Amino acid sequence: MPAFSILILLLLLFSNPTEKQAPKASQPNILFLIADDWSFPHAGVYGDQVVLTPTFDRLAAEGALFTNAYTASPSCSPSRASVLLGRYPHQNEAGGNLWSEFPAQYPTYVSLLEEDGYFTGSSRKGWGPGDFKVSGMENNPSGKTYEDFKSFLAERPKDQPFTFWFGSTDPHREYVPNTGIQTGMQLEDVIVPGFFPDNDCVRNDILDYYFEIERFDRECGQLIKMLQEAGELDNTIIVMTSDNGMPFPRAKANLYDYGTRMPLVIRWPDKIKAGTVIDDFVNFIDFAPSFVEAAGLEAETMSGQSLWPLFAGEKQDRDQVYLERERHANVRKGDLSYPMRAVRDHKYLYIKNMMPERNPAGDPTVHQSVGQYGDVDNSITKFLIMAMEGKSKSGSPDYFKLAFDKRPEEELYDVVADPYQLNNLADDESLATVKENMRKKLQNWMEETGDLRAKDPRSLYWDEVRYTPDYQMKDFNLSQGIEEYRIKPPFGKYAKEGIPCIQGN
């Protein structure tokens, strides 16, 4: 039995929540809890032995745990737009880019529920970053902004159903170095993904990422406690997930699993049996139609499938998932996108790079934002990999090429044998039929969903739409960034001065 299944059973045995019961309303509340840059499988219930996620694990025990949940795009704004609109990013026009304009001509699940009498609100990071006011919207598409969930509940009219979006900024960078190790996490316990060099500074960076996941989990627990005290726990659909993958090289802003595969739990006792595990593929475009259906409404403009038939044992077309990205940060001369489309099933991941002559991680010198290779958030992990350019070792992956080099037009990975997607099999003649079948599936999906790139793979549409921020950042000093970084454990002889990184290690 998988480790996460055993953990769910144990949690069920010891879970005995007490709540003040209230009459069950005809329409459920919705509490949507979304992290910022958190990848699967970094939660205790998935078997991670370092990061502590008791809230996520509890919801898995009392509801459903998803093992194949995927963001529609590994980038904040387009991912969040797809959650709200129930539409693929390429269907959301300018909303398919980061730092975009919100396509207000399409209804969100929030607007549909509000029109039907729901009390709606959000706190912290809703849809964004981007501009929704230019579209004529007064409030963020995720709902009117409140200081916190407590304030929202205090204003909610008695017995009125509600939907609330809690958008944390954890574990988005920048991190305060050493927050993870100083809580007692151990460097030696970290499992380093195969596309990173395995050294202590990378491990320390991952611990800081874990620290922020734990903070998100604690805050979600506080919201659920408020819900429980209000007597609304069992009449609320609770969703806990992330918008896209971890802010590290070859993760966020990429269509590999660490960019697109998301932690996801949903709790709703009315529809979901405690301890359910769902291995079918789900896409974030499925949230909005699920919420609308739960409220007894219809959503004509949405492309996603409702999730509720899954829990009733009905068969759906969930044997694969389709993924995409356009312009992330503005990091290529000429404001250029890096267009990608992909299909992922239980055995293979096929990726089509529409313009392989462009730099997937951004230009090697700054264009407008972030710095060198600006589609990758700045970090000690990024800096160390950049310093490895031209220094690959025999028998080890070329970490620099994996993160920053140009890519071929087609990529094919055996995700079972190669979970980190290191070995491109697109030129393997024994898999020619597999590649052709996946290529056809991807093309058919693009045509059926009205993707501009189905007919014109090199469309300039997403290059030319507005990029809303106006700022300029300089190239960073790579050597200085590495030299100044220190691991500072809480105890021992290195506690004060810290342990330096060794360039190229």
Side-chain angles (χ1 to χ4, degrees), residues 395-467:
S396 296
D398 189 325
Y399 299 109
F400 178 86
K401 285 187 175 181
L402 287 172
F404 304 117
D405 210 10
K406 291 179 181 178
R407 297 170 185 167
E409 183 177 356
E410 293 182 297
E411 299 177 70
L412 180 67
Y413 299 94
D414 181 333
V415 296
V416 177
D418 181 19
Y420 297 123
Q421 291 102 61
L422 302 178
N423 303 307
N424 183 11
L425 304 174
D427 293 331
D428 187 330
E429 288 299 323
S430 69
L431 296 174
T433 301
V434 170
K435 183 174 71 171
E436 178 61 21
N437 288 340
M438 298 197 82
R439 182 194 292 139
K440 286 180 178 177
K441 277 188 177 182
L442 185 64
Q443 181 66 26
N444 289 340
W445 166 76
M446 292 169 64
E447 292 174 1
E448 290 168 0
T449 57
D451 191 343
L452 291 177
R453 298 200 184 278
K455 292 184 178 179
D456 182 8
R458 299 182 64 83
S459 170
L460 300 180
Y461 176 81
W462 286 281
D463 294 345
E464 296 172 349
V465 296
R466 178 181 168 220
Y467 184 78

Side-chain angles (χ1 to χ4, degrees), residues 148-420:
D148 50 34
F149 189 44
K150 183 178 180 180
S151 303
F152 172 81
L153 288 177
E155 286 193 26
R156 173 206 176 199
K158 182 176 173 57
D159 297 329
Q160 185 173 349
F162 69 81
T163 177
F164 187 82
W165 170 299
F166 171 65
S168 175
T169 54
D170 289 334
H172 196 288
R173 293 189 187 271
E174 297 175 355
Y175 300 151
V176 177
N178 303 299
T179 48
I181 197 170
Q182 291 178 3
T183 64
M185 298 185 205
Q186 303 294 315
L187 293 173
E188 58 267 27
D189 293 337
V190 175
I191 296 176
V192 179
F195 41 88
F196 300 157
D198 189 350
N199 61 53
D200 283 348
C201 284
V202 171
R203 287 171 175 262
N204 200 54
D205 200 18
I206 293 172
L207 290 186
D208 292 341
Y209 158 74
Y210 279 172
F211 170 84
E212 296 208 354
I213 294 172
E214 291 188 352
R215 185 164 60 190
F216 169 66
D217 188 87
R218 282 195 303 274
E219 289 196 289
C220 289
Q222 292 165 5
L223 269 68
I224 292 169
K225 183 180 179 182
M226 293 180 206
L227 191 67
Q228 191 166 316
E229 290 172 347
E232 294 284 2
L233 181 63
D234 284 346
N235 189 41
T236 301
I237 300 169
I238 303 175
V239 176
M240 186 173 175
T241 191
S242 173
D243 58 355
N244 51 250
M246 61 195 296
F248 286 76
R250 207 172 166 89
K252 178 181 176 180
N254 287 273
L255 299 188
Y256 309 116
D257 279 4
Y258 274 72
T260 58
R261 194 175 183 182
M262 298 290 97
L264 173 63
V265 288
I266 302 179
R267 184 190 192 277
W268 187 23
D270 190 54
K271 296 283 187 183
I272 302 173
K273 182 181 177 181
T276 297
V277 176
I278 299 293
D279 296 320
D280 300 69
F281 286 99
V282 301
N283 189 301
F284 276 18
I285 66 169
D286 298 332
F287 288 135
S290 300
F291 297 155
V292 170
E293 181 181 300
L297 306 175
E298 294 183 359
E300 296 178 356
T301 61
M302 296 181 179
S303 302
Q305 304 179 76
S306 170
L307 294 167
W308 312 128
L310 274 176
F311 304 107
E314 297 180 23
K315 178 64 178 173
Q316 292 182 313
D317 179 14
R318 294 191 177 276
D319 295 328
Q320 68 283 309
V321 68
Y322 296 95
L323 312 165
E324 62 184 283
R325 67 149 280 179
E326 284 294 340
R327 188 171 62 202
H328 185 61
N330 197 355
V331 294
R332 294 171 197 84
K333 186 176 182 180
D335 306 341
L336 303 182
S337 171
Y338 188 78
M340 307 167 74
R341 301 290 186 268
V343 56
R344 200 313 193 161
D345 62 24
H346 289 288
K347 179 65 173 173
Y348 295 105
L349 169 66
Y350 171 81
I351 300 174
K352 185 73 174 289
N353 296 297
M354 306 293 184
M355 298 186 183
E357 74 278 6
R358 297 181 179 181
N359 294 300
D363 289 345
T365 56
V366 72
H367 168 52
Q368 179 171 331
S369 58
V370 183
Q372 302 97 301
Y373 302 113
D375 267 353
V376 181
D377 293 30
N378 293 333
S379 67
I380 188 60
T381 300
K382 173 181 176 177
F383 299 161
L384 288 171
I385 294 176
M386 285 180 62
M388 299 175 79
E389 183 176 7
K391 301 176 183 178
S392 62
K393 298 178 181 179
S394 178
S396 296
D398 189 325
Y399 299 109
F400 178 86
K401 285 187 175 181
L402 287 172
F404 304 117
D405 210 10
K406 291 179 181 178
R407 297 170 185 167
E409 183 177 356
E410 293 182 297
E411 299 177 70
L412 180 67
Y413 299 94
D414 181 333
V415 296
V416 177
D418 181 19
Y420 297 123

Side-chain angles (χ1 to χ4, degrees), residues 18-45:
T18 59
E19 71 163 312
K20 183 170 56 180
Q21 295 296 325
K24 190 171 184 180
S26 59
Q27 292 176 306
N29 308 311
I30 298 165
L31 178 60
F32 192 76
L33 309 167
I34 185 167
D36 196 356
D37 300 359
W38 175 27
S39 290
F40 175 97
H42 300 141
V45 74

Side-chain angles (χ1 to χ4, degrees), residues 102-138:
F102 193 82
Q105 65 271 33
Y106 306 113
T108 66
Y109 79 82
V110 175
S111 66
L112 290 171
L113 268 57
E114 186 172 36
E115 289 173 7
D116 197 57
Y118 270 71
F119 188 62
T120 66
S122 66
S123 66
R124 303 197 199 169
K125 185 173 181 178
W127 171 81
D131 187 351
F132 58 85
K133 292 185 178 179
V134 72
S135 304
M137 305 180 75
E138 180 180 355

